[in-house]
mmCIF file with all atom_site columns, all heavy atoms in Angstrom:
data_model
loop_
_atom_site.group_PDB
_atom_site.id
_atom_site.type_symbol
_atom_site.label_atom_id
_atom_site.label_alt_id
_atom_site.label_comp_id
_atom_site.label_asym_id
_atom_site.label_entity_id
_atom_site.label_seq_id
_atom_site.pdbx_PDB_ins_code
_atom_site.Cartn_x
_atom_site.Cartn_y
_atom_site.Cartn_z
_atom_site.occupancy
_atom_site.B_iso_or_equiv
_atom_site.pdbx_formal_charge
_atom_site.auth_seq_id
_atom_site.auth_comp_id
_atom_site.auth_asym_id
_atom_site.auth_atom_id
_atom_site.pdbx_PDB_model_num
ATOM 1  N N   . PHE A 1 673 ? -83.671 80.336 -42.607 1.00 95.00 ? 962 PHE A N   1
ATOM 2  C CA  . PHE A 1 673 ? -84.800 80.713 -43.482 1.00 95.00 ? 962 PHE A CA  1
ATOM 3  C C   . PHE A 1 673 ? -85.288 79.493 -44.240 1.00 95.00 ? 962 PHE A C   1
ATOM 4  O O   . PHE A 1 673 ? -86.494 79.206 -44.264 1.00 95.00 ? 962 PHE A O   1
ATOM 5  C CB  . PHE A 1 673 ? -84.399 81.812 -44.419 1.00 95.00 ? 962 PHE A CB  1
ATOM 6  C CG  . PHE A 1 673 ? -85.474 82.059 -45.443 1.00 95.00 ? 962 PHE A CG  1
ATOM 7  C CD1 . PHE A 1 673 ? -86.567 82.895 -45.112 1.00 95.00 ? 962 PHE A CD1 1
ATOM 8  C CD2 . PHE A 1 673 ? -85.422 81.531 -46.705 1.00 95.00 ? 962 PHE A CD2 1
ATOM 9  C CE1 . PHE A 1 673 ? -87.610 83.085 -46.071 1.00 95.00 ? 962 PHE A CE1 1
ATOM 10 C CE2 . PHE A 1 673 ? -86.472 81.673 -47.641 1.00 95.00 ? 962 PHE A CE2 1
ATOM 11 C CZ  . PHE A 1 673 ? -87.541 82.506 -47.318 1.00 95.00 ? 962 PHE A CZ  1
ATOM 12 N N   . THR A 1 674 ? -84.371 78.784 -44.829 1.00 95.00 ? 963 THR A N   1
ATOM 13 C CA  . THR A 1 674 ? -84.734 77.678 -45.731 1.00 95.00 ? 963 THR A CA  1
ATOM 14 C C   . THR A 1 674 ? -85.510 76.597 -44.959 1.00 95.00 ? 963 THR A C   1
ATOM 15 O O   . THR A 1 674 ? -86.556 76.121 -45.370 1.00 95.00 ? 963 THR A O   1
ATOM 16 C CB  . THR A 1 674 ? -83.507 77.087 -46.388 1.00 95.00 ? 963 THR A CB  1
ATOM 17 O OG1 . THR A 1 674 ? -82.796 78.122 -47.070 1.00 95.00 ? 963 THR A OG1 1
ATOM 18 C CG2 . THR A 1 674 ? -83.872 75.973 -47.335 1.00 95.00 ? 963 THR A CG2 1
ATOM 19 N N   . TRP A 1 675 ? -84.938 76.211 -43.834 1.00 94.00 ? 964 TRP A N   1
ATOM 20 C CA  . TRP A 1 675 ? -85.556 75.085 -43.128 1.00 94.00 ? 964 TRP A CA  1
ATOM 21 C C   . TRP A 1 675 ? -86.692 75.521 -42.223 1.00 94.00 ? 964 TRP A C   1
ATOM 22 O O   . TRP A 1 675 ? -87.812 74.972 -42.329 1.00 94.00 ? 964 TRP A O   1
ATOM 23 C CB  . TRP A 1 675 ? -84.433 74.384 -42.259 1.00 94.00 ? 964 TRP A CB  1
ATOM 24 C CG  . TRP A 1 675 ? -84.750 72.999 -41.881 1.00 94.00 ? 964 TRP A CG  1
ATOM 25 C CD1 . TRP A 1 675 ? -85.939 72.504 -41.418 1.00 94.00 ? 964 TRP A CD1 1
ATOM 26 C CD2 . TRP A 1 675 ? -83.942 71.852 -41.998 1.00 94.00 ? 964 TRP A CD2 1
ATOM 27 N NE1 . TRP A 1 675 ? -85.899 71.168 -41.208 1.00 94.00 ? 964 TRP A NE1 1
ATOM 28 C CE2 . TRP A 1 675 ? -84.659 70.725 -41.552 1.00 94.00 ? 964 TRP A CE2 1
ATOM 29 C CE3 . TRP A 1 675 ? -82.584 71.686 -42.379 1.00 94.00 ? 964 TRP A CE3 1
ATOM 30 C CZ2 . TRP A 1 675 ? -84.089 69.458 -41.454 1.00 94.00 ? 964 TRP A CZ2 1
ATOM 31 C CZ3 . TRP A 1 675 ? -82.044 70.356 -42.301 1.00 94.00 ? 964 TRP A CZ3 1
ATOM 32 C CH2 . TRP A 1 675 ? -82.795 69.260 -41.850 1.00 94.00 ? 964 TRP A CH2 1
ATOM 33 N N   . TYR A 1 676 ? -86.493 76.506 -41.377 1.00 93.00 ? 965 TYR A N   1
ATOM 34 C CA  . TYR A 1 676 ? -87.477 76.805 -40.400 1.00 93.00 ? 965 TYR A CA  1
ATOM 35 C C   . TYR A 1 676 ? -88.602 77.696 -40.866 1.00 93.00 ? 965 TYR A C   1
ATOM 36 O O   . TYR A 1 676 ? -89.684 77.701 -40.233 1.00 93.00 ? 965 TYR A O   1
ATOM 37 C CB  . TYR A 1 676 ? -86.789 77.468 -39.154 1.00 93.00 ? 965 TYR A CB  1
ATOM 38 C CG  . TYR A 1 676 ? -85.722 76.582 -38.558 1.00 93.00 ? 965 TYR A CG  1
ATOM 39 C CD1 . TYR A 1 676 ? -84.556 77.175 -38.075 1.00 93.00 ? 965 TYR A CD1 1
ATOM 40 C CD2 . TYR A 1 676 ? -85.843 75.230 -38.546 1.00 93.00 ? 965 TYR A CD2 1
ATOM 41 C CE1 . TYR A 1 676 ? -83.524 76.448 -37.502 1.00 93.00 ? 965 TYR A CE1 1
ATOM 42 C CE2 . TYR A 1 676 ? -84.807 74.413 -38.013 1.00 93.00 ? 965 TYR A CE2 1
ATOM 43 C CZ  . TYR A 1 676 ? -83.681 75.022 -37.536 1.00 93.00 ? 965 TYR A CZ  1
ATOM 44 O OH  . TYR A 1 676 ? -82.685 74.266 -36.971 1.00 93.00 ? 965 TYR A OH  1
ATOM 45 N N   . GLU A 1 677 ? -88.409 78.427 -41.918 1.00 94.00 ? 966 GLU A N   1
ATOM 46 C CA  . GLU A 1 677 ? -89.479 79.263 -42.397 1.00 94.00 ? 966 GLU A CA  1
ATOM 47 C C   . GLU A 1 677 ? -90.040 78.782 -43.675 1.00 94.00 ? 966 GLU A C   1
ATOM 48 O O   . GLU A 1 677 ? -91.262 78.507 -43.759 1.00 94.00 ? 966 GLU A O   1
ATOM 49 C CB  . GLU A 1 677 ? -88.978 80.738 -42.519 1.00 94.00 ? 966 GLU A CB  1
ATOM 50 C CG  . GLU A 1 677 ? -88.290 81.187 -41.240 1.00 94.00 ? 966 GLU A CG  1
ATOM 51 C CD  . GLU A 1 677 ? -88.389 82.678 -41.042 1.00 94.00 ? 966 GLU A CD  1
ATOM 52 O OE1 . GLU A 1 677 ? -87.395 83.313 -41.512 1.00 94.00 ? 966 GLU A OE1 1
ATOM 53 O OE2 . GLU A 1 677 ? -89.310 83.198 -40.447 1.00 94.00 ? 966 GLU A OE2 1
ATOM 54 N N   . PHE A 1 678 ? -89.154 78.540 -44.635 1.00 96.00 ? 967 PHE A N   1
ATOM 55 C CA  . PHE A 1 678 ? -89.681 78.131 -45.922 1.00 96.00 ? 967 PHE A CA  1
ATOM 56 C C   . PHE A 1 678 ? -90.264 76.673 -45.828 1.00 96.00 ? 967 PHE A C   1
ATOM 57 O O   . PHE A 1 678 ? -91.438 76.441 -46.192 1.00 96.00 ? 967 PHE A O   1
ATOM 58 C CB  . PHE A 1 678 ? -88.599 78.161 -47.006 1.00 96.00 ? 967 PHE A CB  1
ATOM 59 C CG  . PHE A 1 678 ? -89.056 77.904 -48.350 1.00 96.00 ? 967 PHE A CG  1
ATOM 60 C CD1 . PHE A 1 678 ? -89.990 78.697 -49.073 1.00 96.00 ? 967 PHE A CD1 1
ATOM 61 C CD2 . PHE A 1 678 ? -88.566 76.767 -49.066 1.00 96.00 ? 967 PHE A CD2 1
ATOM 62 C CE1 . PHE A 1 678 ? -90.439 78.401 -50.335 1.00 96.00 ? 967 PHE A CE1 1
ATOM 63 C CE2 . PHE A 1 678 ? -89.053 76.498 -50.356 1.00 96.00 ? 967 PHE A CE2 1
ATOM 64 C CZ  . PHE A 1 678 ? -89.931 77.321 -51.000 1.00 96.00 ? 967 PHE A CZ  1
ATOM 65 N N   . CYS A 1 679 ? -89.457 75.744 -45.356 1.00 95.00 ? 968 CYS A N   1
ATOM 66 C CA  . CYS A 1 679 ? -89.917 74.377 -45.335 1.00 95.00 ? 968 CYS A CA  1
ATOM 67 C C   . CYS A 1 679 ? -90.916 74.125 -44.241 1.00 95.00 ? 968 CYS A C   1
ATOM 68 O O   . CYS A 1 679 ? -91.993 73.573 -44.488 1.00 95.00 ? 968 CYS A O   1
ATOM 69 C CB  . CYS A 1 679 ? -88.731 73.407 -45.240 1.00 95.00 ? 968 CYS A CB  1
ATOM 70 S SG  . CYS A 1 679 ? -87.703 73.356 -46.677 1.00 95.00 ? 968 CYS A SG  1
ATOM 71 N N   . ASP A 1 680 ? -90.521 74.433 -43.001 1.00 94.00 ? 969 ASP A N   1
ATOM 72 C CA  . ASP A 1 680 ? -91.379 74.080 -41.887 1.00 94.00 ? 969 ASP A CA  1
ATOM 73 C C   . ASP A 1 680 ? -92.730 74.750 -41.871 1.00 94.00 ? 969 ASP A C   1
ATOM 74 O O   . ASP A 1 680 ? -93.723 74.147 -41.522 1.00 94.00 ? 969 ASP A O   1
ATOM 75 C CB  . ASP A 1 680 ? -90.677 74.391 -40.515 1.00 94.00 ? 969 ASP A CB  1
ATOM 76 C CG  . ASP A 1 680 ? -89.620 73.334 -40.187 1.00 94.00 ? 969 ASP A CG  1
ATOM 77 O OD1 . ASP A 1 680 ? -89.520 72.394 -40.903 1.00 94.00 ? 969 ASP A OD1 1
ATOM 78 O OD2 . ASP A 1 680 ? -88.878 73.552 -39.192 1.00 94.00 ? 969 ASP A OD2 1
#
Side-chain angles (χ1 to χ4, degrees):
Chain A
F962 173 81
T963 304
W964 201 314
Y965 303 143
E966 305 204 273
F967 185 65
C968 291
D969 283 354

